[in-house]
Amino acid sequence: MREQLLLFCNWSTLGVCSALKLPQISAVLAARSARGISLPSLLLELAGFLVFLRYQCYYEYPLLTYLEYPILIAQDVLLLLCVFHFNGNVKGAAPYLAAFVASWFVLPLQKWIIDLAMNLSTFISTASKFAQLQYLWKTRDSGAVSALTWSLASYTCATRIITTLMTTSDLTILVRFVLMLALNLWVTATVLRYRKTVVKAE
């Protein structure tokens, strides 16, 4: 039963993450606008994903416990390019992408660097959610933000809490997923709240 639960959580997380950002990317492309999406939030999220993936690789944790992160990073990069495109400055993404590539090679140079980066990545990922929340509170408009994407992200955090408890029991990772679950649910609720407000106003 334990192994079946673990397999279900791992594979369902991977399946959900394979399409996690697609509703958001689709919404941006359909609207031909990045309205409602916080660029700082997206950049911080991408940084958090990158550090988390590097940390898991460095400590050689089971592949199925983090296999979704390369997929999430690829989708975030695509979304980032869409945001820069609709903001009229695709070349503006180049310095950020170069910094992310460079950090991939710098992070594992010393154990203390990767450990510090992992602890900071929880703070960075938390900051990314608050950046999105702040943007929504400020504009009071969810625009092209996909509630489905944020609710799917909540599901993957919940499953990763289960898989972490059943495999590595890494407290740093566990704390990260608990915080991310709470904040993803908060963002989802905020997106839905401002969507209803807009609908009523119309």
Side-chain angles (χ1 to χ4, degrees):
M1 184 68 180
R2 179 188 169 89
E3 287 183 10
Q4 288 174 333
L5 177 61
L6 186 59
L7 276 172
F8 172 78
C9 288
N10 280 329
W11 286 107
S12 66
T13 300
L14 185 58
V16 167
C17 286
S18 296
L20 183 66
K21 297 288 181 173
L22 297 184
Q24 183 62 80
I25 294 168
S26 176
V28 169
L29 292 174
R32 300 194 62 77
S33 165
R35 185 172 55 92
I37 296 172
S38 165
L39 181 59
S41 171
L42 185 56
L43 291 168
L44 288 168
E45 180 181 69
L46 191 50
F49 284 167
L50 186 75
V51 170
F52 187 79
L53 176 62
R54 203 60 174 122
Y55 178 87
Q56 297 270 32
C57 292
Y58 182 85
Y59 283 104
E60 299 180 344
Y61 283 155
L63 185 62
L64 277 179
T65 61
Y66 65 89
L67 191 56
E68 70 271 19
Y69 278 85
I71 299 167
L72 288 172
I73 289 169
Q75 291 178 33
D76 256 359
V77 168
L78 183 57
L79 183 57
L80 182 68
L81 292 173
C82 286
V83 169
F84 273 101
H85 171 72
F86 289 117
N87 288 343
N89 182 22
V90 178
K91 291 180 182 177
Y96 297 107
L97 296 176
F100 289 137
V101 170
S103 66
W104 179 262
F105 297 101
V106 172
L107 287 170
L109 291 177
Q110 297 287 333
K111 183 180 181 297
W112 69 268
I113 296 176
I114 194 77
D115 287 344
L116 177 63
M118 181 59 194
N119 285 316
L120 287 174
S121 88
T122 299
F123 172 76
I124 289 168
S125 294
T126 301
S128 83
K129 312 298 180 191
F130 275 112
Q132 182 62 59
L133 282 166
Q134 259 189 328
Y135 193 84
L136 290 167
W137 294 332
K138 182 181 176 182
T139 62
R140 304 181 71 81
D141 179 8
S142 58
V145 182
S146 169
L148 178 59
T149 289
W150 286 96
S151 58
L152 290 174
S154 302
Y155 172 79
T156 61
C157 287
T159 56
R160 280 307 175 211
I161 290 169
I162 295 168
T163 59
T164 302
L165 287 169
M166 294 176 73
T167 54
T168 62
S169 297
D170 188 316
L171 186 61
T172 305
I173 292 174
L174 195 59
V175 168
R176 174 191 168 88
F177 281 128
V178 169
L179 282 171
M180 294 305 100
L181 173 60
L183 290 169
N184 283 336
L185 289 170
W186 194 358
V187 173
T188 303
T190 306
V191 169
L192 291 172
R193 177 187 172 194
Y194 289 125
R195 181 155 299 154
K196 287 177 182 176
T197 302
V198 171
V199 170
K200 285 177 183 175
E202 288 173 354

